[in-house]
Amino acid sequence: SAVISQKPSRDICQRGTSLTIQCQVDSQVTMMFWYRQQPGQSLTLIATANQGSEATYESGFVIDKFPISRPNLTFSTLTVSNMSPEDSSIYLCSVDLQNYGYTFGSGTRLTVV
Amino acid sequence: GENVEQHPSTLSVQEGDSAVIKCTYSDSASNYFPWYKQELGKRPQLIIDIRSNVGEKKDQRIAVTLNKTAKHFSLHITETQPEDSAVYFCAASRGGGDNAGNMLTFGGGTRLMVKP
């Protein structure tokens, strides 16, 4: 399977600030997916990032709050903007690999204080 | 869109017993059903998956069954061990392993505790 590198692994941020999370894959993929996992909860899809076009956001998530970049087929960033304590979660990137299936980055544990 | 329901939310078994986790889905176009194991503080790890063209798949102590007509699928773990203790998630998608960009929809998760 491919290697997905995600950073930072964790951060503690002040409310009102922004954090950008990076996801790097060692093979080219069509789509990259960004998930949020709130404490003790399941994974919820934030958006799907396709190279060369605007990301597609799921209901309840908006571009102003979670801007995404996808400059090439191996890299994406998710920014959590104007953070509040409710944004404290684990954020995970994911890709669907040929003949393997969906695999996840190591996650970013975000705490907003 | 797809909706995946997972039961039970918690499951406690004695070491050596079997554990069964069940999921239902709503989208009849879903054809790929993976299961993930997530240990505390770690990323979800794919443990087994099944596609809609088969009804059962087995890998050592783990098996998954699929009933497309009823839109439900189940994870079976036999001879459970303490290291099986984790949160398990089922998921459904219209494709997987094809790099086609289909999204995964997750069930709510099952916390499995295996008592030694």
Side-chain angles (χ1 to χ4, degrees):
Chain A
S1 63
V3 174
I4 305 177
S5 302
Q6 186 175 338
K7 59 181 181 181
S9 58
R10 60 179 62 231
D11 207 340
I12 301 173
C13 300
Q14 296 290 324
R15 68 178 68 199
T17 63
S18 298
L19 175 71
T20 295
I21 303 166
Q22 299 180 12
C23 186
Q24 177 79 50
V25 190
D26 69 355
S27 61
Q28 294 184 340
V29 292
T30 306
M31 300 288 193
M32 294 179 77
F33 304 92
W34 287 98
Y35 286 86
R36 181 175 73 182
Q37 187 174 28
Q38 294 179 301
Q41 302 295 313
S42 184
L43 287 82
T44 301
L45 182 66
I46 298 171
T48 302
N50 191 3
Q51 191 264 335
S53 63
E54 210 166 87
T56 302
Y57 289 82
E58 297 301 306
S59 176
F61 299 97
V62 295
I63 188 170
D64 290 347
K65 177 67 176 177
F66 298 101
I68 286 172
S69 79
R70 183 78 201 276
N72 57 54
L73 291 173
T74 63
F75 185 79
S76 179
T77 68
L78 169 76
T79 298
V80 186
S81 302
N82 188 25
M83 289 183 285
S84 66
E86 293 71 37
D87 294 320
S88 298
S89 290
I90 298 172
Y91 293 85
L92 297 133
C93 63
S94 175
V95 298
D96 178 22
L97 298 174
Q98 195 81 27
N99 300 321
Y100 182 78
Y102 299 85
T103 191
F104 288 86
S106 53
T108 297
R109 182 179 295 272
L110 171 62
T111 303
V112 183
V113 297
Chain B
E2 176 67 277
N3 182 47
V4 179
E5 301 277 345
Q6 183 172 345
H7 300 282
S9 57
T10 61
L11 179 60
S12 181
V13 300
Q14 207 66 37
E15 182 178 0
D17 288 350
S18 295
V20 180
I21 303 170
K22 299 182 179 181
C23 289
T24 60
Y25 63 99
S26 62
D27 184 0
S28 57
S30 290
N31 58 17
Y32 176 68
F33 308 93
W35 286 87
Y36 289 86
K37 175 183 181 182
Q38 188 177 33
E39 296 175 313
L40 190 62
K42 297 190 176 180
R43 77 187 83 185
Q45 295 277 7
L46 179 67
I47 57 172
I48 196 167
D49 57 14
I50 191 168
R51 298 185 186 275
S52 59
N53 56 346
V54 298
E56 184 174 357
K57 183 177 179 181
K58 190 172 181 180
D59 182 4
Q60 298 183 353
R61 296 187 297 109
I62 295 173
V64 57
T65 58
L66 170 65
N67 183 328
K68 274 213 76 173
T69 304
K71 296 201 192 77
H72 65 71
F73 57 112
S74 301
L75 177 71
H76 304 253
I77 305 174
T78 59
E79 301 172 24
T80 53
Q81 301 166 4
E83 50 265 38
D84 294 328
S85 296
V87 179
Y88 291 80
F89 293 100
C90 64
S93 173
R94 291 188 174 189
D98 56 7
N99 197 12
N102 294 290
M103 61 176 281
L104 266 181
T105 301
F106 283 85
T110 297
R111 183 173 301 277
L112 174 64
M113 294 168 284
V114 181
K115 299 177 184 176

